[in-house]
Amino acid sequence: MSLDDLHLNLRNLTPEDYPQLKTLMDRVYHDIGGAWPKRTIERLISEFPDGQIAIEDDQTLVGVALTARVDYEEFSNPHRYDDLMDQREIILNAPEGDAMYGLDVLIDPAYRGYRLGRRLYEARKDLCKSLNMRAILAGGRIPNYHQYANEMSPAEYLDQVSRKEIHDPILSFQLANDFQVKRLLRKYLPEDEKSQGYATLLEWNNILFEPAESVLDTRKTQVRVGAVQWQMREFSSVEAVLQQAEYFIDALSDYQSDFAVFPELFNAPLMGLQDRAAQQDQIAAIRFLAGFTEHFKTELSRMAVSYNINIIAGSMIEEHDDGHLYNISYLFHRDGDIEAQAKLHITPQERRDWIIEGGDDLRVFDTDAGRIGILICYDVEFPELSRLLADQDMDILFVPFWTDTKNGYLRVRHCSQARAIENECYVVLCGSVGNVPSIENMEIQYAQSSVFSPSDFAFPHDAVLAETTPNTEMIMFSDLDLTRLTVVRNEGSVTNLKDRRQDLFDLRWRDWSWKSGSRQDDA
């Protein structure tokens, strides 16, 4: 048959199709009883019309997929084919079932080789997603097993089929269509002599399945991020800095942004409130800056609540009771909660001139718009940190930064883009611009704020969702689809997180809680 002669149409099965369906089933299933009775098919179509899918060629039925709704907990455990029907051969369709059960997929022998079975399987998967069902289950025959029954056990046969050392027309096809073997079923279909009565319990998980829950508790899947490419400038007072920050937060809120992001040490110009001579003592100047942090925390938390937006306040200097200084990014939730992430890796300049200490805790934060991580500038150049966050199901990584030269900026940019690809997450990069020769310690800045995505078909060709004009004060928006992350992590062209060879290597976070006295050792 020539491809030019095909006129294929995918549609739902109707009761009027039964004569053609019977002919097709008798031809394909001649060894296990042939076609279902007409009443069985009519009842199945009546109870679950969307699940009965047909392919026709010029009004001739050439492929069919029959499907029932079932309860996942019941049919994801051992069962027999007879458990699916009553004594009158009526399929026990569960109207409120949370899973689909693949009863039959059959292709006219004359049409094999055109991948029509794959087309039917994809239609089933699309239906499963659209109905928000948990999974597709199926009892899969292993019709070539009888050829090997004297040589190996069914389990050994399954292993060799999965390793492609043996081809089984049904199991090999199902494995190629992303179904996983959950268990071996005994006496599934006793009359199936070719399979010796055995079958596999197969499952395809709907990675987009969302359990029923309150609308208010439903996690957002569409997230809008707003970033402020902040210009460093002289300020006459603390209030002037906060007024400028509130101006941007108000603008981002007007566009219904879920996050407002600021750069690292965005309030550093406050060191300029000291006279020039006092600024020469760099350690004293940074302690002077730390003195404003509590006031900023109070005001930014107020803004987060008032403007209904989560604020990632770049970073600010915090002085602890022991006199140690830390560079800390604060997350101000719009419900009033405040959380913090310290910079862990301190640059030589920070350590030498300001005596900044590195933190010892790394967290993923739950927000009403996804699970997020924060790595401050230099931290993003250490890939272990973002991988630890990815292992905790991080969706968005925020990187507030401060770089003075373009080569410094490019280190942060290229590392951030690598983190998005290798961890299959979004990365939001936010920096500061402007030259301030009148203030010691912060003469020049270079930045181009950006939003990076994984690199696959669902995302822009260069994996850049948004970016600002370099060295210009402005705000940037980007809409992030968290559902696309779920898809790329499970069904992408490559699946970096899934394919790690954890049999060869692993990564762990050491417990440093003893430093704060929070760890409870065994007595």
Side-chain angles (χ1 to χ4, degrees):
M1 181 184 302
S2 168
L3 288 173
D4 294 336
D5 296 330
L6 292 178
H7 299 89
L8 300 176
N9 178 41
L10 186 74
R11 61 172 176 83
N12 287 115
L13 203 65
T14 69
E16 290 71 31
D17 291 316
Y18 183 76
Q20 287 196 62
L21 176 61
K22 183 179 186 308
T23 300
L24 184 58
M25 293 191 80
D26 283 339
R27 186 183 311 159
V28 175
Y29 292 150
H30 59 86
D31 56 336
I32 54 172
W36 289 102
K38 184 177 181 181
R39 66 178 183 278
T40 304
I41 297 300
E42 289 179 342
R43 181 76 169 266
L44 191 60
I45 293 172
S46 172
E47 293 183 344
F48 189 23
D50 290 340
Q52 319 319 315
I53 306 168
I55 297 177
E56 62 181 0
D57 180 23
D58 278 338
Q59 300 184 345
T60 299
L61 213 60
V62 298
V64 172
L66 302 177
T67 313
R69 292 187 70 148
V70 297
D71 179 71
Y72 178 84
E73 292 301 328
E74 180 179 357
F75 284 93
S76 61
N77 287 299
H79 61 276
R80 298 182 180 182
Y81 197 65
D82 286 347
D83 295 333
L84 288 158
M85 66 194 74
D86 65 14
Q87 295 179 347
R88 299 176 298 118
E89 292 191 293
I90 297 299
I91 303 298
L92 298 176
N93 193 70
E96 302 301 320
D98 58 351
M100 292 166 56
Y101 196 100
L103 298 168
D104 296 292
V105 170
L106 50 152
I107 304 297
D108 187 321
Y111 285 79
R112 289 175 184 169
Y114 295 111
R115 298 192 175 186
L116 301 188
R118 183 180 295 272
R119 194 175 301 200
L120 290 169
Y121 268 60
E122 291 303 317
R124 255 190 195 157
K125 292 174 185 177
D126 289 342
L127 178 62
C128 184
K129 292 175 182 177
S130 69
L131 295 178
N132 189 34
M133 304 192 80
R134 183 170 173 176
I136 301 174
L137 300 168
R141 300 169 58 214
I142 45 176
N144 277 3
Y145 176 60
H146 69 282
Q147 301 175 18
Y148 301 88
N150 294 330
E151 305 172 24
M152 62 185 69
S153 68
E156 291 170 329
Y157 178 79
L158 299 187
D159 180 63
Q160 293 204 28
V161 173
S162 69
R163 297 165 69 90
K164 297 187 177 180
E165 295 171 3
I166 294 175
H167 177 78
D168 185 278
I170 293 180
L171 180 56
S172 297
F173 174 76
Q174 290 164 325
L175 294 176
N177 280 276
D178 301 322
F179 277 75
Q180 303 295 319
V181 176
K182 291 197 66 176
R183 66 180 78 244
L184 183 68
L185 299 175
R186 302 176 186 276
K187 299 181 180 179
Y188 178 74
L189 195 62
E191 61 268 33
D192 181 8
E193 296 180 0
K194 290 185 177 180
S195 303
Q196 302 281 288
Y198 291 103
T200 55
L201 175 56
L202 295 141
E203 179 173 340
W204 177 83
N205 284 304
N206 176 12
I207 58 175
L208 304 180
F209 171 66
E210 291 284 351
E213 55 189 2
S214 166
V215 172
L216 293 179
D217 293 333
T218 301
R219 177 188 174 195
K220 289 174 69 77
T221 59
Q222 302 292 323
V223 176
R224 177 164 295 175
V225 170
V228 179
Q229 186 158 283
W230 174 270
Q231 181 169 335
M232 297 292 199
R233 53 167 70 83
E234 291 187 61
F235 288 99
S236 60
S237 65
V238 175
E239 289 68 28
V241 181
L242 288 168
Q243 183 180 34
Q244 184 71 22
E246 187 162 7
Y247 165 78
F248 284 122
I249 290 168
D250 186 7
L252 296 173
S253 175
D254 282 346
Y255 285 97
Q256 289 81 50
S257 186
D258 295 294
F259 291 98
V261 192
F262 287 84
E264 178 184 19
L265 297 180
F266 71 100
N267 69 346
L270 289 176
M271 288 187 288
L273 295 182
Q274 294 180 300
D275 60 44
R276 189 78 177 188
Q279 294 177 43
Q280 299 301 316
D281 184 342
Q282 296 190 51
I283 297 176
I286 207 71
R287 290 189 188 278
F288 176 76
L289 181 63
F292 300 110
T293 297
E294 285 304 314
H295 183 47
F296 268 77
K297 288 169 65 176
T298 299
E299 287 302 303
L300 288 168
S301 182
R302 174 190 63 79
M303 294 179 202
V305 174
S306 298
Y307 291 99
N308 189 29
I309 192 170
N310 301 300
I311 300 174
I312 295 171
S315 74
M316 294 180 280
I317 300 298
E318 182 176 290
E319 182 173 4
H320 288 188
D321 293 339
D322 59 8
H324 290 172
L325 298 169
Y326 296 88
N327 186 351
I328 295 181
S329 181
Y330 295 95
L331 167 60
F332 299 97
H333 294 263
R334 50 183 154 200
D335 65 3
D337 286 345
I338 303 175
E339 297 185 280
Q341 173 65 61
K343 189 172 186 177
L344 305 181
H345 295 85
I346 305 306
T347 64
Q349 180 271 326
E350 289 175 289
R351 187 168 54 249
R352 180 186 63 245
D353 296 341
W354 293 342
I355 320 298
I356 301 293
E357 301 277 343
D360 54 26
D361 189 30
L362 180 69
R363 296 182 55 196
V364 167
F365 303 101
D366 273 311
T367 76
D368 56 13
R371 287 174 62 79
I372 73 165
I374 303 172
L375 294 179
I376 303 171
C377 197
Y378 195 31
D379 278 340
V380 81
E381 298 179 32
F382 298 84
E384 299 87 351
L385 297 181
S386 55
R387 178 49 53 86
L388 288 165
L389 295 173
D391 283 339
Q392 300 175 65
D393 299 323
M394 171 186 65
D395 299 310
I396 309 169
L397 175 63
F398 291 95
V399 183
F401 73 95
W402 176 8
T403 53
D404 52 0
T405 62
K406 187 171 184 179
N407 61 333
Y409 161 72
L410 289 175
R411 285 196 301 271
V412 174
R413 178 189 177 94
H414 293 323
C415 288
S416 295
Q417 192 153 27
R419 303 298 86 88
I421 292 170
E422 67 200 13
N423 296 301
E424 298 169 324
C425 66
Y426 295 110
V427 178
V428 180
L429 198 60
C430 182
S432 55
V433 300
N435 303 317
V436 195
S438 62
I439 302 176
E440 289 288 331
N441 309 311
M442 55 175 305
E443 287 90 352
I444 58 175
Q445 337 282 319
Y446 184 95
Q448 183 180 24
S449 302
S450 308
V451 180
F452 303 124
S453 72
S455 184
D456 213 327
F457 295 113
F459 305 99
H461 72 95
D462 57 358
V464 179
L465 287 169
E467 55 188 357
T468 61
T469 303
N471 282 353
T472 302
E473 185 172 59
M474 61 185 295
I475 59 177
M476 169 187 70
F477 293 97
S478 186
D479 286 342
L480 312 182
D481 186 344
L482 302 187
T483 300
R484 291 186 178 183
L485 296 182
T486 303
V487 173
V488 79
R489 290 167 182 169
N490 289 274
E491 301 175 356
S493 301
V494 294
T495 48
N496 298 72
L497 292 178
K498 286 174 62 177
D499 293 340
R500 284 176 294 163
R501 287 291 304 276
Q502 292 183 310
D503 57 324
L504 301 179
F505 60 87
D506 61 16
L507 184 64
R508 64 185 177 88
W509 180 262
R510 289 178 178 165
D511 182 6
W512 287 99
S513 56
W514 59 269
K515 292 181 68 175
S516 60
S518 61
R519 185 171 68 190
Q520 300 297 317
D521 293 324
D522 294 335

